[in-house]
């Protein structure tokens, strides 16, 4: 089968279109004929092997342990292992492979059945493939870490990004009043996602709003988290989703102490793939509450271009890979 693989860490040029053996499912796995995959910030961090912490988390200190990247996929079950009970050949599924060895940028991949869920019935495979990593991260940031309640005011920073574009819509679906912050030229798309208000990153209300927020979801973390404390209500919560390793460590180490002093909560997201959350998103998508914002679709051979576009902030929402 065809796949995009790498034997060393580096820029998109390290990725090559290669022929590799088609995988065979273990007893608890399904073999998926991948129809589409998507690209997220995690993909280019793994491709480059930066920040270094990512090498410790996923193995491969000197060279990649998983030569075929690609976490979020959608496709059709082609075969099932002997112990699989939830799926059968022909089922349309989507999955996050980041805890089962990646491998999504390929014509076929195997995944444990517990990492897989039926695709939303109203999406193309390209659109469905954009959901598993970014959608689940947004859901877990808002619902689990942020403990969002209906009627609360939320600020989503990076609202035109992969996680952010889902966060805006999920927050609306959970009954929040949503402000999205993004680059000025992407504002119209964020408005179309249903944000009640859109501001650009330079707007003074980003850190000093007329009315403070109950929850801030920060997918970019290009400013110090402490800058946002005045923008939170007493008892409000800031959730760091993205950002550099040093920003994350600062928030993890200093956040609880500083937050307590100022009666605010500073938290960090560690997203985990969960079948139940894929099912929760499927329900929101089928109810028309969430629609993936797909910018462009690239063929498998152009995965390097897709990653380049994402790294250079040329993407609004998500990019898909058609396989
Ligand atoms: N903690 C976790 O478990 C977890 C889970 C998923 C993702 N993440 C992290 O979350 C981050 C976002 O992921 P993603 O896939 O949504 O990435 P993405 O699609 O590339 O979106 C990133 C967003 O950040 C904004 N941004 C980036 N650099 C910026 C800067 N210097 N100044 C202002 N805004 C900036 C961009 O704004 P514009 O589009 O407006 O230009 C873009 O909307 C990444 O760092 C990723 O590694 C963490």
């Amino acid at each position: 089968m065809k796949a995009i693989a790498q034997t060393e860490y580096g820029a998109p040029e390290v990725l090559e279109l290669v022929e590799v053996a088609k995988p065979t499912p273990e007893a608890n796995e399904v073999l998926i004929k991948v129809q589409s995959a998507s690209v997220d910030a995690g993909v280019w961090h793994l491709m480059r092997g930066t920040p270094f912490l990512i090498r410790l988390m996923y193995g491969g200190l000197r060279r990649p342990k998983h030569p075929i990247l690609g976490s979020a996929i959608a496709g059709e079950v082609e075969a099932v292992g002997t112990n699989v009970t939830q799926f059968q050949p022909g089922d349309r599924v989507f999955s996050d492979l980041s805890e089962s060895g990646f491998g999504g940028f390929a014509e076929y991949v195997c995944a444990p059945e517990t990492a897989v869920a039926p695709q939303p019935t109203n999406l193309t495979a390209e659109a469905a493939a954009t959901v598993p990593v970014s959608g689940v991260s947004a859901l877990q940031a808002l619902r689990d870490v942020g403990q969002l309640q209906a009627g609360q005011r939320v600020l989503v920073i990076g609202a035109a990004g992969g996680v952010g574009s889902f966060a805006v819509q999920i927050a609306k679906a959970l009954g929040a009043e949503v402000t999205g912050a993004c680059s000025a030229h992407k504002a119209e798309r964020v408005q179309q996602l249903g944000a009640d208000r859109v501001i650009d990153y330079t707007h003074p209300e980003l850190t000093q709003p007329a009315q403070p927020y109950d929850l801030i979801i920060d997918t970019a973390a290009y400013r110090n988290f402490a800058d946002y404390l005045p923008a939170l209500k007493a008892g409000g919560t800031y959730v760091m989703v993205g950002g550099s390793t040093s920003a994350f460590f600062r928030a993890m180490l200093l956040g609880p102490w500083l937050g307590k002093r100022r009666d605010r909560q500073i938290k960090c997201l560690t997203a985990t793939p969960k079948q139940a959350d894929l099912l929760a998103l499927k329900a929101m998508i089928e109810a028309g509450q969430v629609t993936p914002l797909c910018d462009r679709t690239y063929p498998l051979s152009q995965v390097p271009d897709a990653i380049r576009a994402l790294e250079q902030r040329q993407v609004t929402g998500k990019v898909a890979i058609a396989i």
Side-chain angles (χ1 to χ4, degrees), residues 259-280:
K260 203 169 174 188
R261 278 188 54 189
R262 306 271 294 271
D263 191 20
R264 312 290 191 268
Q265 296 193 70
I266 311 295
K267 298 180 176 178
C268 295
L269 171 74
T270 308
T272 319
K274 282 196 185 136
Q275 190 186 48
D277 287 348
L278 288 176
L279 292 170

Side-chain angles (χ1 to χ4, degrees), residues 123-145:
L123 293 185
T124 61
E126 278 88 12
T130 67
V131 179
V133 172
S134 302
V136 168
S137 299
L139 179 65
Q140 293 180 0
L142 290 160
R143 182 198 62 190
D144 304 341
V145 186

Side-chain angles (χ1 to χ4, degrees), residues 39-42 44-45 133-134 137 157-164 181-183 185-186 201 219-220 222 240-243 248 268-272 310 313 315-318:
V39 176
D40 55 78
W44 60 262
H45 288 307
V133 172
S134 302
S137 299
I157 303 169
V163 177
C182 61
S183 298
H185 67 284
K186 297 181 180 177
Y201 297 124
T219 75
Y222 61 93
M240 185 177 285
V241 176
F248 239 78
C268 295
L269 171 74
T270 308
T272 319
L310 192 72
R313 289 171 67 187
V315 173
T316 305
K318 296 289 302 177

Side-chain angles (χ1 to χ4, degrees), residues 31 35 49-50 66 69 127 144 172 177 191 216 246 270:
L31 172 67
Q35 291 165 328
T50 57
H66 304 288
L69 294 179
D144 304 341
K172 285 300 295 177
E177 186 190 316
Q191 197 89 56
I216 297 177
S246 59
T270 308

Side-chain angles (χ1 to χ4, degrees), residues 118-200:
Q119 253 182 59
T121 52
N122 55 343
L123 293 185
T124 61
E126 278 88 12
T130 67
V131 179
V133 172
S134 302
V136 168
S137 299
L139 179 65
Q140 293 180 0
L142 290 160
R143 182 198 62 190
D144 304 341
V145 186
Q147 302 271 302
L148 180 64
Q149 305 296 318
Q152 290 190 326
R153 287 170 50 78
V154 183
L155 170 65
V156 177
I157 303 169
V163 177
S165 59
F166 280 105
V168 167
Q169 298 180 75
I170 295 168
K172 285 300 295 177
L174 296 176
E177 186 190 316
V178 182
T179 299
C182 61
S183 298
H185 67 284
K186 297 181 180 177
E188 198 180 328
R189 303 301 301 274
V190 174
Q191 197 89 56
Q192 287 163 357
L193 294 175
D196 298 287
R197 245 178 117 241
V198 184
I199 55 177
D200 78 63

Side-chain angles (χ1 to χ4, degrees), residues 4-9 15 46-47 54 57-60 63-70 97-103:
I4 289 283
Q6 65 183 120
T7 52
E8 55 183 321
Y9 291 118
L15 301 175
L46 276 162
M47 175 190 76
I54 211 159
M57 286 166 66
Y58 293 101
R63 54 182 55 85
K65 181 176 167 195
H66 304 288
I68 305 175
L69 294 179
L97 306 169
S98 53
E99 285 197 344
S100 48
F102 306 94

